[in-house]
Amino acid sequence: DDLLDFGLPEEGLEIFGDRGIEELYPPQVDGVRSGVLDGRNLVLAVPTASGKTLVSELGILKSVFSGGRTLYIVPLKALAYEKFELFKEYERYGFNVGVATGDYDRSADYLSDMDVVVTTSEKADSMLRLGTDWIGDVDVVVCDEVHLVDSDRRGPTLEVTLAKLMMMNPGAQVIALSATISNAREIANWLDAGLVKSDWRPIELKEGVVFDDFIDFPFDGGKEVCSDEDDVATSLVRDAVLEGGQALVFTSSRRNSRGAAGRIVGSLDDLLSPMEEDRLMELSNDILDVDGVTEEGERLARYVRRGVAFHHAGLRNTHLRRIEKLFSSGDLKAICSTPTLAWGINLPARRVVVRDYKRYDPNYGMKPIPVLDVKQMFGRAGRPGMDPYGEAVLIAKNEVERDQLIDRYVVGDTENITSKLASEPALRSHVLSTIASGFAGSYSELMDFIDRTFFAVQNRPEDIQLLVKRVLGFLESEGFIEVDGFGLGSGSGFDATAIGKRVSELYIDPLSASRILERLSGRGMESDIEFLHMVCETPDMDTLYMRKSDYSRVESFLKENPRLKERGEMDDWFLSEVKTSLLLKDWIDEEDDGDICDWYGVSSGDIRRKASTAEWLLHSAAELSKMSMSLYINRLRNLQRRMQYGVKKELSDLVSISGIGRVRARELYKNGYRTKSDLHELIDNQSLVREVDGVGAKTIEKIKRELGGNE
Ligand code: ADP
């Protein structure tokens, strides 16, 4: 009823009723009190799972019911789809909800009919660069996880995007959702917003440290761990499952996540019912049923059969999404993960174990992780509506360590977050895009714009002037911008060149573009490896680390390829570029996934992520060569297509069918099915199916579903 008083239409409230929401949580009430329904800007800094989304929805619904448009920004693609599914409920009122991720140089004009658009910060940035019209006509901007402005890599994009959106839509309501950071007030000042800050949680969270089979919860007494496993993390997991809960174990590395899961495997066998065992068996087979599954995937399947999984960024996306689903549905009892899981989709568990609180840092060795990170992992403890409470535990080896951990991570405050805009690669890219999209036509306009960023809240704009000038000098010398008059001064005006504009739209680092352009205009490139090295040489490609065992392989390759060798000194930097190029080459030459993993020390998800970056850079190179009339365009397009699926040219028709990857496509090809239309035969004649290795009944079903419509 209160909400009706605040002017939300009665019908709008049905949604919440249908979700089983009966009354607002205290921080939600505070959000309403501070004017989220009156269009006021708001920063909501409260713990995970305490209902931040709903507060933003109040603002969104109020706006869309009066014809307004919302842009909802999240940090990850998976989160965008999660929110999109949630907001699709609004379609019952006739509102249109859309989602936009990836494909950075593709126009987003088709979203102009949408009332709510969910997107990532990178996609929002790219839509601004493309001059998407409706972006200047937004009434509500929601920024989920705004504390990520602190992130070295992606923070600058987030703050620049928010600053631009605020400048373009001065009347728009900004709702920013945040973890409980100490300096939330600074974020609120930046966004000219009211602040609601609270530690309230919907279920009690007990935070503590375990030592000698006893969990010390400084604020909630203590608790014996009822398990006699040798390994502490395993005991904590088994104990939680004995009590009817699930557990998440956070480890410092991928290898540790596999190791920790390996130790748990077996300890839960007696706790699984025959029905659960059957179901896990089926799910484990699903994990195996992925094109080109590797040894690591097989290991995952083996563990899943016994109720445990590991989760890290090197795994294939299909596997990651499947594990997350299995855990939500309660089928899996435990996941051992790297900390990335804590920053992703909402995946709560009764008990969270932070097994490793130190992480390797190349400059400092093993180093304790920030309080904010531990709190983020802790915050995943407790499933609303299912667990009576959540428990979050760190592991100590002795009493001294226990007391230190309590002081630092249980009682202590989180760190302040800081702007990372003063980094040269970030500025290079954002200064160009600010000029190219017409935001700043002069030096003073550029500085005015910088004045609207979070950086300027924490520093004086002058602190960045020198760096901005250096970046402008670079952009001018590369021919991406033109500067009026003589020299760069505060009165200088500037404009992007056609090529500068295209670089900004392609969403690549201007330094990548300049390296690519230099390469394309140079002496004739011949072999695939030279094109692949061209993309690995750019700062947009994260190159692979050189292990001791890599040197002989990479160096002997270079001996046989003197043209490539000329490109660099024989230092680690160059060698790692070459190593990465070789991986990409093996990928498009259809080398076995498992072999590539062994040769390069990567996981199969890594191969795909590298390939996807390479595909984007090859696409960008093709686009740039169109503009510079280079001769390589067909060559680049061909490589780009092969990169997408990791195949030779002749398989490109087959791999475009979902469920058929590079391995199954090759098998089909060998058996004489070379195109989609050849496959119609398979559909008609089941007996032929059995002859093709790796193409089982499930895949046939998928093919049927996909090709069936075209018959
Ligand atoms: P956050 O964004 O803060 O991490 P969410 O908005 O995802 O948290 O909310 C977590 C869960 O709590 C969701 O399942 C949501 O439906 C539920 N929830 C939110 N507000 C309420 C409420 N007032 N009463 C009951 N459940 C709620």
Side-chain angles (χ1 to χ4, degrees):
D1 287 349
D2 290 355
L3 292 173
L4 293 179
D5 293 344
F6 280 103
L8 194 70
E10 195 168 349
E11 45 180 345
L13 294 175
E14 281 167 20
I15 281 189
F16 302 130
D18 290 355
R19 286 189 207 158
I21 290 168
E22 284 157 13
E23 53 178 5
L24 293 185
Y25 290 152
Q28 294 171 335
V29 172
D30 292 342
V32 172
R33 290 220 177 98
S34 71
V36 78
L37 278 162
D38 305 321
R40 291 203 41 202
N41 290 357
L42 175 67
V43 171
L44 190 67
V46 297
T48 328
S50 47
K52 291 191 281 284
T53 314
L54 188 141
V55 177
S56 73
E57 288 185 272
L58 295 175
I60 297 170
L61 283 168
K62 179 79 186 278
S63 165
V64 289
F65 270 109
S66 55
R69 186 202 306 273
T70 292
L71 186 65
Y72 195 106
I73 302 172
V74 296
L76 297 169
K77 201 168 161 178
L79 286 169
Y81 285 93
E82 192 186 50
K83 297 298 175 202
F84 172 61
E85 287 303 322
L86 186 68
F87 300 153
K88 272 222 296 239
E89 291 173 13
Y90 303 172
E91 286 175 355
R92 68 160 104 164
Y93 305 122
F95 300 129
N96 297 318
V97 181
V99 59
T101 62
D103 279 343
Y104 294 136
D105 72 336
R106 177 160 162 241
S107 155
D109 291 338
Y110 70 99
L111 292 166
S112 68
D113 292 338
M114 299 291 158
D115 302 288
V116 180
V117 174
V118 187
T119 190
T120 59
S121 31
E122 284 73 20
K123 183 68 181 181
D125 182 16
S126 86
M127 291 192 288
L128 286 164
R129 293 176 183 213
L130 292 172
T132 312
D133 274 341
W134 59 263
I135 287 267
D137 180 24
V138 170
D139 304 278
V140 177
V141 176
V142 183
C143 174
D144 205 350
E145 319 265 12
V146 71
H147 53 270
L148 292 178
V149 291
D150 191 63
S151 144
D152 285 322
R153 275 187 81 123
R154 309 178 55 211
T157 301
L158 182 57
E159 67 172 290
V160 162
T161 301
L162 277 178
K164 284 185 182 167
L165 286 169
M166 289 192 293
M167 288 174 82
M168 289 176 83
N169 300 282
Q173 178 181 21
V174 179
I175 305 173
L177 313 177
S178 168
T180 44
I181 45 172
S182 319
N183 58 337
R185 171 63 61 195
E186 265 186 337
I187 296 276
N189 289 345
W190 171 40
L191 302 176
D192 196 16
L195 172 66
V196 170
K197 192 176 169 185
S198 158
D199 286 325
W200 185 89
R201 292 181 45 106
I203 15 174
E204 188 192 353
L205 173 63
K206 300 180 183 180
E207 300 175 307
V209 179
V210 68
F211 168 63
D212 201 13
D213 286 342
F214 184 79
I215 312 177
D216 189 344
F217 291 116
F219 301 113
D220 308 276
K223 187 176 182 177
E224 289 291 338
V225 180
C226 297
S227 161
D228 45 14
E229 300 291 329
D230 292 338
D231 176 59
V232 188
T234 304
S235 294
L236 287 165
V237 170
R238 184 175 157 84
D239 182 60
V241 178
L242 270 171
E243 289 182 9
Q246 290 167 289
L248 284 175
V249 178
F250 288 103
T251 62
S252 57
S253 68
R254 296 172 175 190
R255 178 202 289 260
N256 287 344
S257 75
R258 284 189 299 262
R263 252 166 257 144
I264 296 166
V265 163
S267 72
L268 305 178
D269 288 354
D270 59 322
L271 305 180
L272 300 171
S273 69
M275 223 171 72
E276 283 178 316
E277 280 176 356
D278 286 349
R279 183 133 170 82
L280 286 169
M281 178 62 93
E282 196 182 310
L283 300 168
S284 155
N285 288 335
D286 276 352
I287 287 182
L288 289 175
D289 187 41
V290 165
D291 187 282
V293 71
T294 57
E295 211 177 299
E296 188 176 32
E298 285 167 5
R299 162 131 65 138
L300 183 64
R302 264 198 320 277
Y303 289 4
V304 164
R305 206 175 307 148
R306 301 171 83 174
V308 185
F310 48 90
H311 187 288
H312 63 69
L315 295 178
R316 303 263 294 261
N317 280 328
T318 42
H319 283 156
L320 293 174
R321 298 293 93 79
R322 206 155 289 176
I323 294 164
E324 288 159 6
K325 237 164 106 186
L326 295 182
F327 194 77
S328 292
S329 61
D331 291 303
L332 276 177
K333 301 299 170 201
I335 296 183
C336 299
S337 165
T338 50
T340 46
L341 183 68
W343 298 100
I345 67 161
N346 192 19
L347 207 65
R350 166 85 59 90
R351 182 174 282 170
V352 165
V353 180
V354 178
R355 203 197 71 166
D356 310 325
Y357 69 91
K358 287 184 180 161
R359 200 176 302 153
Y360 181 73
D361 178 302
N363 300 318
Y364 300 99
M366 293 307 280
K367 206 181 139 209
I369 57 181
V371 182
L372 190 60
D373 289 26
V374 170
K375 293 288 186 194
Q376 180 75 20
M377 295 185 251
F378 274 11
R380 296 300 184 188
R383 301 182 72 159
M386 297 186 70
D387 292 331
Y389 51 80
E391 293 174 333
V393 201
L394 284 148
I395 299 177
K397 280 185 243 25
N398 53 51
E399 286 171 31
V400 177
E401 191 181 26
R402 178 191 62 203
D403 296 346
Q404 283 171 344
L405 290 177
I406 287 178
D407 280 351
R408 183 178 169 111
Y409 291 117
V410 180
V411 183
D413 270 337
T414 54
E415 299 79 6
N416 280 352
I417 59 165
T418 55
S419 167
K420 301 297 189 296
L421 189 61
S423 98
E424 190 158 346
L427 268 188
R428 212 156 48 207
S429 177
H430 291 300
V431 165
L432 176 60
S433 79
T434 302
I435 296 170
S437 55
F439 256 88
S442 67
Y443 187 77
S444 60
E445 281 178 15
L446 183 62
M447 290 317 284
D448 285 348
F449 164 71
I450 286 178
D451 208 33
R452 294 294 301 269
T453 62
F454 185 51
F455 180 88
V457 174
Q458 299 192 312
N459 308 273
R460 297 167 311 151
E462 300 89 87
D463 296 345
I464 211 172
Q465 262 175 16
L466 221 59
L467 197 53
V468 169
K469 285 199 171 144
R470 187 151 89 213
V471 163
L472 285 167
F474 166 78
L475 295 173
E476 189 189 13
S477 71
E478 294 301 318
F480 298 148
I481 61 170
E482 274 163 358
V483 178
D484 299 342
F486 187 70
L488 244 176
S490 52
S492 305
F494 28 62
D495 204 357
T497 60
I499 199 130
K501 233 174 139 53
R502 194 71 191 112
V503 170
S504 161
E505 290 170 351
L506 287 167
Y507 213 75
I508 55 176
D509 187 327
L511 183 58
S512 298
S514 96
R515 297 233 165 111
I516 289 172
L517 286 164
E518 181 240 330
R519 202 84 178 242
L520 293 178
S521 66
R523 184 155 77 81
M525 289 211 279
E526 283 163 18
S527 56
D528 287 351
I529 198 76
E530 287 176 86
F531 288 93
L532 298 176
H533 179 255
M534 173 183 77
V535 302
C536 291
E537 198 187 30
T538 69
D540 280 306
M541 176 63 83
D542 256 337
T543 53
L544 295 164
Y545 167 79
M546 285 294 287
R547 299 166 305 169
K548 275 206 189 74
S549 53
D550 292 324
Y551 288 91
S552 59
R553 192 184 149 92
V554 175
E555 282 166 353
S556 68
F557 175 83
L558 283 172
K559 233 175 247 153
E560 286 157 30
N561 291 271
R563 281 169 54 91
L564 188 59
K565 196 172 167 196
E566 278 170 30
R567 289 294 306 178
E569 307 296 322
M570 295 293 274
D571 54 12
D572 271 15
W573 196 277
F574 176 64
L575 295 175
S576 73
E577 288 168 10
V578 176
K579 175 180 170 185
T580 313
S581 322
L582 288 170
L583 175 143
L584 294 172
K585 177 90 171 77
D586 285 338
W587 167 249
I588 61 175
D589 284 344
E590 294 181 36
E591 292 294 348
D592 176 68
D593 257 270
D595 288 341
I596 300 181
C597 291
D598 290 345
W599 294 336
Y600 299 92
V602 296
S603 286
S604 64
D606 295 317
I607 306 174
R608 282 158 186 79
R609 273 176 279 274
K610 297 270 175 265
S612 149
T613 308
E615 189 202 339
W616 184 251
L617 288 163
L618 287 164
H619 163 72
S620 301
E623 290 295 306
L624 293 174
S625 65
K626 250 199 242 168
M627 300 191 73
S628 59
M629 292 189 287
S630 126
L631 302 169
Y632 299 121
I633 179 151
N634 291 332
R635 190 76 193 270
L636 288 163
R637 286 284 174 224
N638 178 17
L639 281 170
Q640 182 198 341
R641 269 192 297 275
R642 291 177 60 193
M643 192 60 74
Q644 186 179 2
Y645 297 104
V647 291
K648 293 183 185 150
K649 202 173 164 200
E650 69 258 26
L651 295 187
S652 52
D653 196 33
L654 289 176
V655 281
S656 66
I657 303 169
S658 78
I660 298 198
R662 56 208 293 265
V663 179
R664 285 175 184 150
R666 180 52 67 193
E667 284 303 322
L668 288 164
Y669 195 89
K670 276 195 227 153
N671 282 271
Y673 306 99
R674 308 205 155 164
T675 60
K676 273 188 187 174
S677 52
D678 290 344
L679 279 182
H680 283 291
E681 204 182 325
L682 268 185
I683 295 172
D684 298 337
N685 191 349
Q686 283 273 3
S687 65
L688 288 171
V689 170
R690 307 290 168 211
E691 292 168 12
V692 181
D693 259 0
V695 180
K698 272 191 186 163
T699 312
I700 301 293
E701 278 311 310
K702 266 191 227 161
I703 299 174
K704 268 189 193 171
R705 247 177 285 137
E706 191 167 330
L707 296 185
N710 309 337
E711 272 176 297

